[in-house]
Amino acid sequence: MSDLIADIETLVRCESPSDDHEAVARSAEAVAAVGRRLLGAEPERLVTDGCTHLRWRFGDGPPRVLLLGHHDTVWPLGSLRTHPFAVEDGILRGPGCFDMKAGVVLALHAAAALPDRTGVAILITGDEEIGSPLSRALIEEEARSCDAVFVLEASADGGALKTRRKGVSRYWIEVEGRAAHAGLEPEKGVNAGIEVAHQILAVAALADPDRGTTVVPTALSAGTTTNTVPAAATVAVDARVWDTAEQDRVDRAVRSLAPVLADARIRIGGGINRPPLEAAASAELFELADAVAGKLGIGPLTRAAVGGASDGNFTAGLGIPTLDGLGAVGGGAHADDEHVVVAELPRRTALLAALAETVLAQRSSSDPTNAHEESGAGQR
């Protein structure tokens, strides 16, 4: 237990906001040091457009089990001054501890506990909190050969595993109007503010509460001064859906938006960010995890469907069995009360290790010629 807490403290104290690549690089070195000590192996440092990700691969064949996490956080540099690392009354606190520095540590400790790591890969990315634009290709590449992907994102309430996640689409609608004096001759202008209001109502109408589809206009800007007809306006849109058919419907509808005002123009950017993690992608792995937990005496497990997305959405979208929420138990992700329940840390570590070992053993027993039967368990 003390090693788990010490390693989480090391990572939490190395702040890593996603948009600061130097901070993320420092965090990657902290993660690498913990992994080096536990696994006896140096990770590959994969840098994409300045963002540092880490990968360990064990064995000579393609990976069969992927432990997936991220070491970036939403917390800006200096957050430790207002939210210091602390452990008190069985609760661990600190910026990014729950989402998901503790999950990274659990992955490394669980891998270290495996009697044979052949066929295991660990990928810790540095840009998940901003939508994984620089790591998506790495994630999908690593997952394609796998029998299972275990995502170390924090659990849902009460320690529930996340077996269903909404897909996410993000759009930007830019409106081009024409400026004019608001008092002298407003009729000569084309009011981009009014046009963007029409577009806001149009996209909001795409929501379907009965299907759980949300389409939410978010960040909004328009105009320059109080006495000028706005010549430009923008609105961002966040859309979340449970299934791919809905995601495609919303995408087509947003892209077909047209101006309402004469002489106004609109441009639409963005698109589908993450496909849904549908229940079928996690069903068998959840049942397996529940059985494993029972044998360990830490079951039964519970499951949850959540509106937030993770990198597990990418792997599930490829058709790879994916189980999410295997990380820390606690709460307050991205919030002032972010925390981890200390007593659950060794239990989650044991569950992940036993689950990975079970999947690897199943593969070996069903195919005696596969990579897991090859000699050697060193890092490739």
Side-chain angles (χ1 to χ4, degrees), residues 81-134:
R81 290 194 294 271
T82 54
H83 298 75
F85 178 88
V87 180
E88 186 175 357
D89 296 330
I91 300 297
L92 182 153
R93 300 183 187 277
C97 64
F98 184 59
D99 186 14
M100 57 163 288
K101 298 291 180 81
V104 172
V105 170
L106 293 183
L108 296 174
H109 278 257
L114 292 174
D116 183 355
R117 293 192 285 273
T118 303
V120 174
I122 306 170
L123 181 61
I124 310 297
T125 65
D127 65 341
E128 191 275 343
E129 295 291 2
I130 55 174
S132 307
L134 303 176

Side-chain angles (χ1 to χ4, degrees), residues 24 96 98 141 154 225 299 328 360 377:
V24 170
F98 184 59
E141 171 196 351
T225 67
L360 292 170

Side-chain angles (χ1 to χ4, degrees), residues 299-356:
L301 300 178
T302 57
R303 70 185 96 190
V306 297
S310 82
D311 288 338
N313 289 59
F314 294 138
T315 62
L318 294 174
I320 309 300
T322 300
L323 187 59
D324 204 337
L326 283 157
V329 177
H334 301 191
D336 288 343
D337 65 337
E338 183 168 11
H339 66 279
V340 169
V341 178
V342 170
E344 292 295 334
L345 292 171
R347 298 183 188 128
R348 300 298 269 206
T349 304
L351 174 63
L352 180 61
L355 191 52

Side-chain angles (χ1 to χ4, degrees), residues 59 69 94 100-101 113 150-152 155 168 177 180-181 193 204 265 272 305 315 319 352 364 370:
M100 57 163 288
K101 298 291 180 81
F150 298 123
V151 185
L152 274 299
S155 70
V168 178
H181 195 291
R265 298 179 180 179
I272 294 172
T315 62
L352 180 61
S364 295
N370 70 55

Side-chain angles (χ1 to χ4, degrees), residues 26-371:
R26 290 193 296 270
S27 172
E29 291 309 308
V31 175
V34 172
R36 187 186 312 117
R37 189 191 85 243
L38 292 170
L39 304 172
E42 194 72 29
E44 297 174 77
R45 290 162 178 79
L46 307 169
V47 181
T48 54
D49 290 345
C51 184
T52 307
H53 323 286
L54 299 174
R55 178 173 64 192
W56 283 267
R57 285 176 175 173
F58 298 94
D60 296 326
R64 297 299 179 186
V65 169
L66 174 61
L67 308 184
L68 181 59
H70 66 89
H71 66 105
D72 61 312
T73 77
V74 301
W75 293 87
L77 292 180
S79 295
L80 282 165
R81 290 194 294 271
T82 54
H83 298 75
F85 178 88
V87 180
E88 186 175 357
D89 296 330
I91 300 297
L92 182 153
R93 300 183 187 277
C97 64
F98 184 59
D99 186 14
M100 57 163 288
K101 298 291 180 81
V104 172
V105 170
L106 293 183
L108 296 174
H109 278 257
L114 292 174
D116 183 355
R117 293 192 285 273
T118 303
V120 174
I122 306 170
L123 181 61
I124 310 297
T125 65
D127 65 341
E128 191 275 343
E129 295 291 2
I130 55 174
S132 307
L134 303 176
S135 61
R136 178 174 183 172
L138 294 172
I139 294 164
E140 293 179 338
E141 171 196 351
E142 207 62 23
R144 287 187 194 279
S145 66
C146 288
D147 300 317
V149 175
F150 298 123
V151 185
L152 274 299
E153 289 284 356
S155 70
D157 290 348
L161 303 187
K162 296 172 179 176
T163 56
R164 194 180 181 201
R165 284 185 180 270
K166 285 187 176 182
V168 178
S169 301
R170 292 172 177 162
Y171 302 95
W172 295 265
I173 302 172
E174 298 179 349
V175 176
E176 180 183 340
R178 184 169 59 244
H181 195 291
L184 295 177
E185 44 190 12
E187 70 282 356
K188 292 186 177 181
V190 177
N191 196 314
I194 294 176
E195 179 60 51
V196 83
H198 284 295
Q199 300 302 323
I200 287 171
L201 293 174
V203 296
L206 297 175
D208 186 342
D210 290 339
R211 297 192 66 171
T213 300
T214 60
V215 185
V216 182
T218 55
L220 172 67
S221 66
T224 54
T225 67
T226 58
N227 60 351
T228 303
V229 173
T234 62
V235 62
V237 179
D238 180 292
R240 300 188 183 236
V241 302
W242 286 120
D243 60 80
T244 55
E246 269 294 87
Q247 195 164 46
D248 290 340
R249 177 189 70 83
V250 172
D251 189 67
R252 288 192 301 269
V254 171
R255 296 189 185 285
S256 66
L257 292 171
V260 174
L261 301 182
D263 296 330
R265 298 179 180 179
I266 66 171
R267 291 183 295 274
I268 297 167
I272 294 172
N273 173 254
R274 286 183 167 98
L277 193 167
E278 299 190 38
S282 63
E284 290 187 11
L285 286 180
F286 177 80
E287 296 303 325
L288 179 63
D290 195 37
V292 168
K295 293 177 181 178
L296 294 174
I298 58 175
L301 300 178
T302 57
R303 70 185 96 190
V306 297
S310 82
D311 288 338
N313 289 59
F314 294 138
T315 62
L318 294 174
I320 309 300
T322 300
L323 187 59
D324 204 337
L326 283 157
V329 177
H334 301 191
D336 288 343
D337 65 337
E338 183 168 11
H339 66 279
V340 169
V341 178
V342 170
E344 292 295 334
L345 292 171
R347 298 183 188 128
R348 300 298 269 206
T349 304
L351 174 63
L352 180 61
L355 191 52
E357 186 175 3
T358 301
V359 171
L360 292 170
Q362 287 178 340
R363 175 72 179 188
S364 295
S365 62
S366 64
D367 181 5
T369 65
N370 70 55

